[in-house]
Amino acid sequence: MRIKALLVTAAAAMLVVTGCGGKQVQDTPTGAAQACEASDGRLTIATGNTGGVYYVLGGGLAQLISNNTKLRATAAETGASVQNIQQLVAGDYDIAFTLADTAADAVQGKDSFAGQPQKIQALARIYPNATQVVVRADSGINSVADMRGKRISTGSPKSGTEVIANRVLTAAGLNPDSDIQAQRLALGKAVDGMKSGTVDGLFWSGGLPTPEITDLTTSLGAGVKFIDITPQLPGLKQISEVYEASTIPADTYKLPADVPTVVVPNLLVVREDFPVNNACAITKLLFDKRADLEQVHPSAKEITKDNATKTEPVPLHPGAQQALQG
C-alpha cells in the first residue's frame, strides 16, 4: 500500500469530503456587526489536490464546522488556488484555500486575473506553504537553470503551484513555455511520473510534510533530491513581498540535510457578501479548535492569531475582524 493510501484512510475517519461544489443557503444578511453565531445552512470549501495539505485540512475544517455550528460543511477536491478563487467568485464554493500571492493577484486584477479584480476578502492568514522542488538524482539537474530541456511538472493548471513554478523558472532565466518540457500535472500524477522516469522533476507548493512527497522520498530514497531555489528569491520579491526564505527541515522527509527554500503564506478567503455572523463564527472556530486541526495535519500548528490579520493586500472580512478582536 502506498503511504498516500494509509494517510488518506487514517484521515477519512475525521473528514467529510465530497467531490462537487455547491452554494450556501443563508437566512442572515450581511451588514453591520452581528452576533458571532452561524446561521442554519450549507457551505462548501474549495481545497486542492488529494495528495496535498489543503485537501486534508479542508476536510478537517469542514468536519469542525459541521460538528460545532448550525452549518453543514463539505470540502471539495480542486486544482487549488487560481481555480479556487475563480469558482469562489462564481458562486460554486463558499470558502477557499489559496496562496497569498495568488490572492494578491486576484484583488489587484493581475496575471491570471488580468483586468478583472476579484471581490474577495480573507477570514485569516493560516500556515505557510513551502515550495518543494524535487528532481530525480539521475536527471543532471542541480539548479533551476539546469531544468532547460527537461520534463518538469509545474503543477495542476490554475493552481498556486503553477503560479510559483512559472515565476521561479522565469527568475532563473527560463521561459516556462519553451525552455522546459512542461508537464502540468496534479501532484499524484507527477509523483507517479517521477517514479517511472517519465518526469525529471516537479514543483510543489504545500505544507510540511505533504503526503505525496513523503511517498516519493520513501519510495525512491536517494533516487531523488531537493533543489535550493533561494537564488531566485530576489526575482520573486520583485513580484511580491509575500515570498520569504525558509528551510525544509531534514527530518520532514528523512533528508541528508535541511533544504533552503521559499515559502508563501496561505489564506482562507470568501466573497465580499459572505455573511458577517458566519465569517465571525468560522474564524473563531478556527482558533478555538486549532488543536483538533493539528490532529488532522501538523501544519495547523502554524496557524496563529499573531499572523491571522496579516492578509494584505487582501482585505480582512468584517466578521473575521470581529472574531480576531474578541
Side-chain angles (χ1 to χ4, degrees):
M1 294 285 291
R2 290 172 51 171
I3 287 176
K4 172 187 170 184
L6 293 174
L7 291 171
V8 171
T9 299
M14 293 181 284
L15 309 184
V16 175
V17 181
T18 181
C20 59
K23 293 190 177 181
Q24 186 177 22
V25 179
Q26 293 297 339
D27 297 320
T28 306
T30 58
Q34 303 162 34
C36 195
E37 183 176 340
S39 313
D40 289 322
R42 296 182 179 274
L43 59 80
T44 53
I45 303 170
T47 64
N49 294 174
T50 55
V53 178
Y54 281 1
Y55 180 80
V56 177
L57 274 185
L61 179 60
Q63 188 69 60
L64 279 185
I65 293 169
S66 296
N67 288 347
N68 293 278
T69 75
K70 296 178 182 178
L71 291 164
R72 302 279 72 83
T74 53
E77 177 191 358
T78 69
S81 296
V82 176
Q83 177 189 336
N84 284 0
I85 292 175
Q86 290 173 337
Q87 293 190 294
L88 175 76
V89 173
D92 296 326
Y93 301 109
D94 304 294
I95 301 174
F97 283 74
T98 179
L99 283 161
D101 57 345
T102 301
D105 289 347
V107 297
Q108 294 170 343
K110 294 168 48 180
D111 291 350
S112 299
F113 308 92
Q116 296 180 324
Q118 305 295 297
K119 295 181 178 181
I120 60 172
Q121 295 180 342
L123 295 183
R125 171 173 164 172
I126 48 176
Y127 67 94
N129 264 17
T131 309
Q132 301 166 61
V133 184
V134 192
V135 301
R136 287 181 58 93
D138 60 5
S139 65
I141 301 171
N142 296 300
S143 68
V144 178
D146 291 338
M147 291 181 174
R148 187 181 299 274
K150 303 293 186 178
R151 301 162 298 180
I152 305 297
S153 174
T154 54
S156 300
K158 296 187 177 182
S159 67
T161 294
E162 185 176 55
V163 171
I164 291 177
N166 288 344
R167 288 176 175 176
V168 170
L169 289 163
T170 301
L174 300 178
N175 185 327
D177 296 325
S178 59
D179 289 338
I180 64 167
Q181 297 181 51
Q183 315 292 305
R184 303 174 74 196
L185 301 174
L187 182 57
K189 291 183 178 179
V191 167
D192 288 343
M194 291 275 286
K195 290 179 180 180
S196 67
T198 59
V199 172
D200 298 311
L202 65 81
F203 283 82
W204 172 250
S205 179
L208 299 174
T210 294
E212 287 281 12
I213 301 298
T214 301
D215 178 19
L216 177 62
T217 57
T218 302
S219 299
L220 294 188
V224 294
K225 61 185 178 182
F226 285 70
I227 298 297
D228 177 3
I229 63 167
T230 54
Q232 282 69 56
L233 182 57
L236 294 174
K237 277 191 166 293
Q238 290 179 10
I239 300 170
S240 175
E241 285 297 322
V242 302
Y243 297 109
E244 300 173 355
S246 187
T247 60
I248 300 171
D251 61 2
T252 306
Y253 299 116
K254 296 186 172 68
L255 305 174
D258 293 350
V259 178
T261 193
V262 172
V263 297
V264 60
N266 288 296
L267 305 179
L268 282 178
V269 296
V270 295
R271 292 183 298 279
E272 287 183 347
D273 63 357
F274 193 79
V276 173
N277 61 314
N278 288 346
C280 182
I282 292 168
T283 304
K284 187 174 185 299
L285 185 66
L286 181 67
F287 293 95
D288 288 350
K289 298 289 186 179
R290 190 187 71 175
D292 291 353
L293 286 179
E294 291 175 19
Q295 297 301 310
V296 176
H297 196 278
S299 63
K301 293 177 181 178
E302 298 185 74
I303 301 174
T304 68
K305 275 194 173 181
D306 288 343
N307 286 328
T309 61
K310 298 175 183 177
T311 63
E312 301 84 357
V314 182
L316 199 63
H317 190 285
Q321 289 179 342
Q322 183 181 341
L324 294 169
Q325 288 169 359

PDB file of all heavy atoms in Angstrom, residues 131-165:
ATOM      1  N   THR A 131       7.785  25.860  -0.937  1.00  0.00           N
ATOM      2  CA  THR A 131       7.972  25.490  -2.338  1.00  0.00           C
ATOM      3  C   THR A 131       8.955  24.328  -2.372  1.00  0.00           C
ATOM      4  O   THR A 131      10.120  24.471  -2.018  1.00  0.00           O
ATOM      5  CB  THR A 131       8.504  26.670  -3.161  1.00  0.00           C
ATOM      6  OG1 THR A 131       7.673  27.815  -2.930  1.00  0.00           O
ATOM      7  CG2 THR A 131       8.499  26.340  -4.642  1.00  0.00           C
ATOM      8  N   GLN A 132       8.450  23.174  -2.778  1.00  0.00           N
ATOM      9  CA  GLN A 132       9.236  21.940  -2.754  1.00  0.00           C
ATOM     10  C   GLN A 132       9.564  21.537  -4.191  1.00  0.00           C
ATOM     11  O   GLN A 132       8.657  21.215  -4.967  1.00  0.00           O
ATOM     12  CB  GLN A 132       8.441  20.856  -2.023  1.00  0.00           C
ATOM     13  CG  GLN A 132       8.095  21.270  -0.602  1.00  0.00           C
ATOM     14  CD  GLN A 132       7.048  20.406   0.056  1.00  0.00           C
ATOM     15  OE1 GLN A 132       7.245  19.198   0.226  1.00  0.00           O
ATOM     16  NE2 GLN A 132       5.925  21.005   0.445  1.00  0.00           N
ATOM     17  N   VAL A 133      10.833  21.602  -4.538  1.00  0.00           N
ATOM     18  CA  VAL A 133      11.290  21.291  -5.892  1.00  0.00           C
ATOM     19  C   VAL A 133      12.144  20.032  -5.801  1.00  0.00           C
ATOM     20  O   VAL A 133      13.226  20.035  -5.211  1.00  0.00           O
ATOM     21  CB  VAL A 133      12.083  22.460  -6.499  1.00  0.00           C
ATOM     22  CG1 VAL A 133      12.471  22.138  -7.946  1.00  0.00           C
ATOM     23  CG2 VAL A 133      11.264  23.744  -6.449  1.00  0.00           C
ATOM     24  N   VAL A 134      11.614  18.956  -6.363  1.00  0.00           N
ATOM     25  CA  VAL A 134      12.250  17.644  -6.248  1.00  0.00           C
ATOM     26  C   VAL A 134      12.588  17.137  -7.646  1.00  0.00           C
ATOM     27  O   VAL A 134      11.765  17.246  -8.564  1.00  0.00           O
ATOM     28  CB  VAL A 134      11.318  16.638  -5.545  1.00  0.00           C
ATOM     29  CG1 VAL A 134      12.086  15.367  -5.168  1.00  0.00           C
ATOM     30  CG2 VAL A 134      10.670  17.252  -4.310  1.00  0.00           C
ATOM     31  N   VAL A 135      13.780  16.583  -7.804  1.00  0.00           N
ATOM     32  CA  VAL A 135      14.207  16.051  -9.108  1.00  0.00           C
ATOM     33  C   VAL A 135      14.772  14.649  -8.927  1.00  0.00           C
ATOM     34  O   VAL A 135      15.189  14.259  -7.832  1.00  0.00           O
ATOM     35  CB  VAL A 135      15.276  16.958  -9.769  1.00  0.00           C
ATOM     36  CG1 VAL A 135      14.734  18.353  -9.979  1.00  0.00           C
ATOM     37  CG2 VAL A 135      16.563  16.991  -8.938  1.00  0.00           C
ATOM     38  N   ARG A 136      14.767  13.905 -10.007  1.00  0.00           N
ATOM     39  CA  ARG A 136      15.424  12.598  -9.990  1.00  0.00           C
ATOM     40  C   ARG A 136      16.929  12.811  -9.902  1.00  0.00           C
ATOM     41  O   ARG A 136      17.490  13.696 -10.554  1.00  0.00           O
ATOM     42  CB  ARG A 136      15.073  11.805 -11.247  1.00  0.00           C
ATOM     43  CG  ARG A 136      13.632  11.280 -11.265  1.00  0.00           C
ATOM     44  CD  ARG A 136      13.349  10.476 -12.542  1.00  0.00           C
ATOM     45  NE  ARG A 136      14.257   9.349 -12.685  1.00  0.00           N
ATOM     46  CZ  ARG A 136      14.001   8.106 -12.251  1.00  0.00           C
ATOM     47  NH1 ARG A 136      12.855   7.838 -11.643  1.00  0.00           N
ATOM     48  NH2 ARG A 136      14.882   7.139 -12.422  1.00  0.00           N
ATOM     49  N   ALA A 137      17.591  11.994  -9.098  1.00  0.00           N
ATOM     50  CA  ALA A 137      19.035  12.136  -8.917  1.00  0.00           C
ATOM     51  C   ALA A 137      19.806  11.897 -10.205  1.00  0.00           C
ATOM     52  O   ALA A 137      20.920  12.419 -10.382  1.00  0.00           O
ATOM     53  CB  ALA A 137      19.516  11.176  -7.830  1.00  0.00           C
ATOM     54  N   ASP A 138      19.227  11.129 -11.127  1.00  0.00           N
ATOM     55  CA  ASP A 138      19.906  10.831 -12.389  1.00  0.00           C
ATOM     56  C   ASP A 138      19.533  11.803 -13.515  1.00  0.00           C
ATOM     57  O   ASP A 138      19.859  11.576 -14.676  1.00  0.00           O
ATOM     58  CB  ASP A 138      19.600   9.400 -12.834  1.00  0.00           C
ATOM     59  CG  ASP A 138      18.116   9.128 -13.047  1.00  0.00           C
ATOM     60  OD1 ASP A 138      17.300  10.082 -12.942  1.00  0.00           O
ATOM     61  OD2 ASP A 138      17.744   7.962 -13.319  1.00  0.00           O
ATOM     62  N   SER A 139      18.845  12.909 -13.157  1.00  0.00           N
ATOM     63  CA  SER A 139      18.365  13.837 -14.189  1.00  0.00           C
ATOM     64  C   SER A 139      19.410  14.859 -14.639  1.00  0.00           C
ATOM     65  O   SER A 139      19.225  15.541 -15.651  1.00  0.00           O
ATOM     66  CB  SER A 139      17.146  14.613 -13.656  1.00  0.00           C
ATOM     67  OG  SER A 139      17.533  15.446 -12.564  1.00  0.00           O
ATOM     68  N   GLY A 140      20.501  14.992 -13.884  1.00  0.00           N
ATOM     69  CA  GLY A 140      21.505  16.017 -14.208  1.00  0.00           C
ATOM     70  C   GLY A 140      21.088  17.413 -13.773  1.00  0.00           C
ATOM     71  O   GLY A 140      21.723  18.395 -14.163  1.00  0.00           O
ATOM     72  N   ILE A 141      20.055  17.521 -12.969  1.00  0.00           N
ATOM     73  CA  ILE A 141      19.556  18.823 -12.508  1.00  0.00           C
ATOM     74  C   ILE A 141      20.107  19.114 -11.113  1.00  0.00           C
ATOM     75  O   ILE A 141      19.859  18.359 -10.160  1.00  0.00           O
ATOM     76  CB  ILE A 141      18.013  18.853 -12.470  1.00  0.00           C
ATOM     77  CG1 ILE A 141      17.433  18.565 -13.857  1.00  0.00           C
ATOM     78  CG2 ILE A 141      17.512  20.197 -11.948  1.00  0.00           C
ATOM     79  CD1 ILE A 141      15.921  18.367 -13.861  1.00  0.00           C
ATOM     80  N   ASN A 142      20.862  20.212 -10.996  1.00  0.00           N
ATOM     81  CA  ASN A 142      21.392  20.641  -9.706  1.00  0.00           C
ATOM     82  C   ASN A 142      20.943  22.045  -9.335  1.00  0.00           C
ATOM     83  O   ASN A 142      21.226  22.506  -8.223  1.00  0.00           O
ATOM     84  CB  ASN A 142      22.920  20.585  -9.726  1.00  0.00           C
ATOM     85  CG  ASN A 142      23.432  19.169  -9.903  1.00  0.00           C
ATOM     86  OD1 ASN A 142      23.152  18.290  -9.095  1.00  0.00           O
ATOM     87  ND2 ASN A 142      24.165  18.940 -10.989  1.00  0.00           N
ATOM     88  N   SER A 143      20.267  22.708 -10.248  1.00  0.00           N
ATOM     89  CA  SER A 143      19.740  24.053 -10.007  1.00  0.00           C
ATOM     90  C   SER A 143      18.534  24.246 -10.908  1.00  0.00           C
ATOM     91  O   SER A 143      18.295  23.447 -11.831  1.00  0.00           O
ATOM     92  CB  SER A 143      20.798  25.114 -10.316  1.00  0.00           C
ATOM     93  OG  SER A 143      21.060  25.150 -11.717  1.00  0.00           O
ATOM     94  N   VAL A 144      17.787  25.310 -10.681  1.00  0.00           N
ATOM     95  CA  VAL A 144      16.635  25.578 -11.539  1.00  0.00           C
ATOM     96  C   VAL A 144      17.072  25.789 -12.982  1.00  0.00           C
ATOM     97  O   VAL A 144      16.424  25.317 -13.921  1.00  0.00           O
ATOM     98  CB  VAL A 144      15.835  26.792 -11.022  1.00  0.00           C
ATOM     99  CG1 VAL A 144      14.654  27.086 -11.950  1.00  0.00           C
ATOM    100  CG2 VAL A 144      15.331  26.549  -9.598  1.00  0.00           C
ATOM    101  N   ALA A 145      18.190  26.467 -13.184  1.00  0.00           N
ATOM    102  CA  ALA A 145      18.679  26.716 -14.546  1.00  0.00           C
ATOM    103  C   ALA A 145      18.952  25.420 -15.304  1.00  0.00           C
ATOM    104  O   ALA A 145      18.829  25.372 -16.536  1.00  0.00           O
ATOM    105  CB  ALA A 145      19.947  27.576 -14.498  1.00  0.00           C
ATOM    106  N   ASP A 146      19.308  24.353 -14.580  1.00  0.00           N
ATOM    107  CA  ASP A 146      19.589  23.065 -15.214  1.00  0.00           C
ATOM    108  C   ASP A 146      18.326  22.381 -15.747  1.00  0.00           C
ATOM    109  O   ASP A 146      18.418  21.331 -16.392  1.00  0.00           O
ATOM    110  CB  ASP A 146      20.261  22.117 -14.218  1.00  0.00           C
ATOM    111  CG  ASP A 146      21.665  22.538 -13.836  1.00  0.00           C
ATOM    112  OD1 ASP A 146      22.284  23.294 -14.606  1.00  0.00           O
ATOM    113  OD2 ASP A 146      22.126  22.117 -12.753  1.00  0.00           O
ATOM    114  N   MET A 147      17.160  22.961 -15.481  1.00  0.00           N
ATOM    115  CA  MET A 147      15.915  22.355 -15.947  1.00  0.00           C
ATOM    116  C   MET A 147      15.670  22.578 -17.435  1.00  0.00           C
ATOM    117  O   MET A 147      14.712  22.036 -17.993  1.00  0.00           O
ATOM    118  CB  MET A 147      14.726  22.888 -15.147  1.00  0.00           C
ATOM    119  CG  MET A 147      14.712  22.424 -13.714  1.00  0.00           C
ATOM    120  SD  MET A 147      13.266  23.040 -12.804  1.00  0.00           S
ATOM    121  CE  MET A 147      13.456  22.165 -11.243  1.00  0.00           C
ATOM    122  N   ARG A 148      16.489  23.371 -18.079  1.00  0.00           N
ATOM    123  CA  ARG A 148      16.321  23.621 -19.515  1.00  0.00           C
ATOM    124  C   ARG A 148      16.257  22.296 -20.285  1.00  0.00           C
ATOM    125  O   ARG A 148      17.127  21.440 -20.159  1.00  0.00           O
ATOM    126  CB  ARG A 148      17.472  24.475 -20.044  1.00  0.00           C
ATOM    127  CG  ARG A 148      17.300  24.917 -21.495  1.00  0.00           C
ATOM    128  CD  ARG A 148      18.491  25.745 -21.963  1.00  0.00           C
ATOM    129  NE  ARG A 148      18.629  26.959 -21.168  1.00  0.00           N
ATOM    130  CZ  ARG A 148      17.993  28.107 -21.428  1.00  0.00           C
ATOM    131  NH1 ARG A 148      17.168  28.173 -22.474  1.00  0.00           N
ATOM    132  NH2 ARG A 148      18.182  29.164 -20.664  1.00  0.00           N
ATOM    133  N   GLY A 149      15.194  22.137 -21.058  1.00  0.00           N
ATOM    134  CA  GLY A 149      15.020  20.948 -21.881  1.00  0.00           C
ATOM    135  C   GLY A 149      14.497  19.729 -21.137  1.00  0.00           C
ATOM    136  O   GLY A 149      14.238  18.691 -21.767  1.00  0.00           O
ATOM    137  N   LYS A 150      14.317  19.832 -19.839  1.00  0.00           N
ATOM    138  CA  LYS A 150      13.894  18.685 -19.045  1.00  0.00           C
ATOM    139  C   LYS A 150      12.366  18.617 -18.912  1.00  0.00           C
ATOM    140  O   LYS A 150      11.651  19.590 -19.133  1.00  0.00           O
ATOM    141  CB  LYS A 150      14.512  18.752 -17.646  1.00  0.00           C
ATOM    142  CG  LYS A 150      16.031  18.831 -17.643  1.00  0.00           C
ATOM    143  CD  LYS A 150      16.668  17.555 -18.155  1.00  0.00           C
ATOM    144  CE  LYS A 150      18.187  17.615 -18.002  1.00  0.00           C
ATOM    145  NZ  LYS A 150      18.842  16.361 -18.459  1.00  0.00           N
ATOM    146  N   ARG A 151      11.884  17.449 -18.516  1.00  0.00           N
ATOM    147  CA  ARG A 151      10.448  17.207 -18.314  1.00  0.00           C
ATOM    148  C   ARG A 151      10.095  17.564 -16.870  1.00  0.00           C
ATOM    149  O   ARG A 151      10.391  16.804 -15.958  1.00  0.00           O
ATOM    150  CB  ARG A 151      10.124  15.748 -18.611  1.00  0.00           C
ATOM    151  CG  ARG A 151      10.469  15.311 -20.042  1.00  0.00           C
ATOM    152  CD  ARG A 151      10.538  13.792 -20.158  1.00  0.00           C
ATOM    153  NE  ARG A 151      11.586  13.239 -19.294  1.00  0.00           N
ATOM    154  CZ  ARG A 151      11.870  11.948 -19.204  1.00  0.00           C
ATOM    155  NH1 ARG A 151      11.177  11.053 -19.909  1.00  0.00           N
ATOM    156  NH2 ARG A 151      12.832  11.523 -18.393  1.00  0.00           N
ATOM    157  N   ILE A 152       9.477  18.713 -16.705  1.00  0.00           N
ATOM    158  CA  ILE A 152       9.237  19.254 -15.364  1.00  0.00           C
ATOM    159  C   ILE A 152       7.740  19.456 -15.144  1.00  0.00           C
ATOM    160  O   ILE A 152       7.068  20.128 -15.935  1.00  0.00           O
ATOM    161  CB  ILE A 152       9.962  20.601 -15.176  1.00  0.00           C
ATOM    162  CG1 ILE A 152      11.458  20.473 -15.484  1.00  0.00           C
ATOM    163  CG2 ILE A 152       9.719  21.138 -13.773  1.00  0.00           C
ATOM    164  CD1 ILE A 152      12.211  19.526 -14.563  1.00  0.00           C
ATOM    165  N   SER A 153       7.224  18.903 -14.042  1.00  0.00           N
ATOM    166  CA  SER A 153       5.834  19.162 -13.677  1.00  0.00           C
ATOM    167  C   SER A 153       5.756  20.492 -12.947  1.00  0.00           C
ATOM    168  O   SER A 153       6.403  20.691 -11.912  1.00  0.00           O
ATOM    169  CB  SER A 153       5.288  18.052 -12.781  1.00  0.00           C
ATOM    170  OG  SER A 153       3.981  18.406 -12.341  1.00  0.00           O
ATOM    171  N   THR A 154       4.942  21.395 -13.486  1.00  0.00           N
ATOM    172  CA  THR A 154       4.770  22.721 -12.882  1.00  0.00           C
ATOM    173  C   THR A 154       3.465  22.812 -12.095  1.00  0.00           C
ATOM    174  O   THR A 154       3.054  23.901 -11.697  1.00  0.00           O
ATOM    175  CB  THR A 154       4.801  23.810 -13.965  1.00  0.00           C
ATOM    176  OG1 THR A 154       3.837  23.495 -14.983  1.00  0.00           O
ATOM    177  CG2 THR A 154       6.184  23.910 -14.592  1.00  0.00           C
ATOM    178  N   GLY A 155       2.825  21.665 -11.864  1.00  0.00           N
ATOM    179  CA  GLY A 155       1.601  21.653 -11.067  1.00  0.00           C
ATOM    180  C   GLY A 155       0.342  21.642 -11.909  1.00  0.00           C
ATOM    181  O   GLY A 155       0.375  21.798 -13.134  1.00  0.00           O
ATOM    182  N   SER A 156      -0.775  21.457 -11.238  1.00  0.00           N
ATOM    183  CA  SER A 156      -2.067  21.443 -11.929  1.00  0.00           C
ATOM    184  C   SER A 156      -2.342  22.778 -12.596  1.00  0.00           C
ATOM    185  O   SER A 156      -1.961  23.828 -12.069  1.00  0.00           O
ATOM    186  CB  SER A 156      -3.197  21.178 -10.918  1.00  0.00           C
ATOM    187  OG  SER A 156      -3.032  19.955 -10.275  1.00  0.00           O
ATOM    188  N   PRO A 157      -3.019  22.779 -13.754  1.00  0.00           N
ATOM    189  CA  PRO A 157      -3.431  24.044 -14.364  1.00  0.00           C
ATOM    190  C   PRO A 157      -4.268  24.858 -13.382  1.00  0.00           C
ATOM    191  O   PRO A 157      -5.089  24.330 -12.638  1.00  0.00           O
ATOM    192  CB  PRO A 157      -4.263  23.592 -15.568  1.00  0.00           C
ATOM    193  CG  PRO A 157      -3.749  22.223 -15.888  1.00  0.00           C
ATOM    194  CD  PRO A 157      -3.416  21.612 -14.557  1.00  0.00           C
ATOM    195  N   LYS A 158      -4.014  26.164 -13.340  1.00  0.00           N
ATOM    196  CA  LYS A 158      -4.739  27.101 -12.488  1.00  0.00           C
ATOM    197  C   LYS A 158      -4.522  26.835 -11.001  1.00  0.00           C
ATOM    198  O   LYS A 158      -5.383  27.106 -10.173  1.00  0.00           O
ATOM    199  CB  LYS A 158      -6.242  27.104 -12.809  1.00  0.00           C
ATOM    200  CG  LYS A 158      -6.565  27.587 -14.216  1.00  0.00           C
ATOM    201  CD  LYS A 158      -8.051  27.733 -14.417  1.00  0.00           C
ATOM    202  CE  LYS A 158      -8.362  28.301 -15.812  1.00  0.00           C
ATOM    203  NZ  LYS A 158      -9.815  28.505 -16.010  1.00  0.00           N
ATOM    204  N   SER A 159      -3.348  26.310 -10.668  1.00  0.00           N
ATOM    205  CA  SER A 159      -3.010  26.097  -9.261  1.00  0.00           C
ATOM    206  C   SER A 159      -1.995  27.142  -8.801  1.00  0.00           C
ATOM    207  O   SER A 159      -1.291  27.754  -9.610  1.00  0.00           O
ATOM    208  CB  SER A 159      -2.418  24.702  -9.053  1.00  0.00           C
ATOM    209  OG  SER A 159      -1.156  24.588  -9.699  1.00  0.00           O
ATOM    210  N   GLY A 160      -1.907  27.321  -7.492  1.00  0.00           N
ATOM    211  CA  GLY A 160      -0.890  28.202  -6.940  1.00  0.00           C
ATOM    212  C   GLY A 160       0.502  27.671  -7.208  1.00  0.00           C
ATOM    213  O   GLY A 160       1.454  28.439  -7.383  1.00  0.00           O
ATOM    214  N   THR A 161       0.639  26.336  -7.236  1.00  0.00           N
ATOM    215  CA  THR A 161       1.931  25.742  -7.568  1.00  0.00           C
ATOM    216  C   THR A 161       2.385  26.177  -8.951  1.00  0.00           C
ATOM    217  O   THR A 161       3.563  26.521  -9.155  1.00  0.00           O
ATOM    218  CB  THR A 161       1.846  24.201  -7.504  1.00  0.00           C
ATOM    219  OG1 THR A 161       1.618  23.795  -6.156  1.00  0.00           O
ATOM    220  CG2 THR A 161       3.123  23.558  -8.014  1.00  0.00           C
ATOM    221  N   GLU A 162       1.475  26.173  -9.909  1.00  0.00           N
ATOM    222  CA  GLU A 162       1.832  26.577 -11.272  1.00  0.00           C
ATOM    223  C   GLU A 162       2.281  28.035 -11.305  1.00  0.00           C
ATOM    224  O   GLU A 162       3.248  28.382 -11.999  1.00  0.00           O
ATOM    225  CB  GLU A 162       0.654  26.366 -12.219  1.00  0.00           C
ATOM    226  CG  GLU A 162       0.992  26.654 -13.672  1.00  0.00           C
ATOM    227  CD  GLU A 162      -0.154  26.340 -14.616  1.00  0.00           C
ATOM    228  OE1 GLU A 162      -1.263  26.866 -14.413  1.00  0.00           O
ATOM    229  OE2 GLU A 162       0.067  25.559 -15.569  1.00  0.00           O
ATOM    230  N   VAL A 163       1.603  28.884 -10.540  1.00  0.00           N
ATOM    231  CA  VAL A 163       1.990  30.301 -10.489  1.00  0.00           C
ATOM    232  C   VAL A 163       3.420  30.438  -9.991  1.00  0.00           C
ATOM    233  O   VAL A 163       4.260  31.115 -10.599  1.00  0.00           O
ATOM    234  CB  VAL A 163       1.025  31.094  -9.581  1.00  0.00           C
ATOM    235  CG1 VAL A 163       1.553  32.511  -9.346  1.00  0.00           C
ATOM    236  CG2 VAL A 163      -0.370  31.152 -10.202  1.00  0.00           C
ATOM    237  N   ILE A 164       3.723  29.784  -8.865  1.00  0.00           N
ATOM    238  CA  ILE A 164       5.065  29.902  -8.290  1.00  0.00           C
ATOM    239  C   ILE A 164       6.105  29.229  -9.181  1.00  0.00           C
ATOM    240  O   ILE A 164       7.202  29.764  -9.385  1.00  0.00           O
ATOM    241  CB  ILE A 164       5.083  29.293  -6.874  1.00  0.00           C
ATOM    242  CG1 ILE A 164       4.260  30.169  -5.925  1.00  0.00           C
ATOM    243  CG2 ILE A 164       6.508  29.159  -6.361  1.00  0.00           C
ATOM    244  CD1 ILE A 164       4.161  29.628  -4.525  1.00  0.00           C
ATOM    245  N   ALA A 165       5.794  28.059  -9.718  1.00  0.00           N
ATOM    246  CA  ALA A 165       6.744  27.361 -10.584  1.00  0.00           C
ATOM    247  C   ALA A 165       7.155  28.231 -11.756  1.00  0.00           C
ATOM    248  O   ALA A 165       8.354  28.369 -12.065  1.00  0.00           O
ATOM    249  CB  ALA A 165       6.131  26.053 -11.083  1.00  0.00           C
TER     250      ALA A 165
END
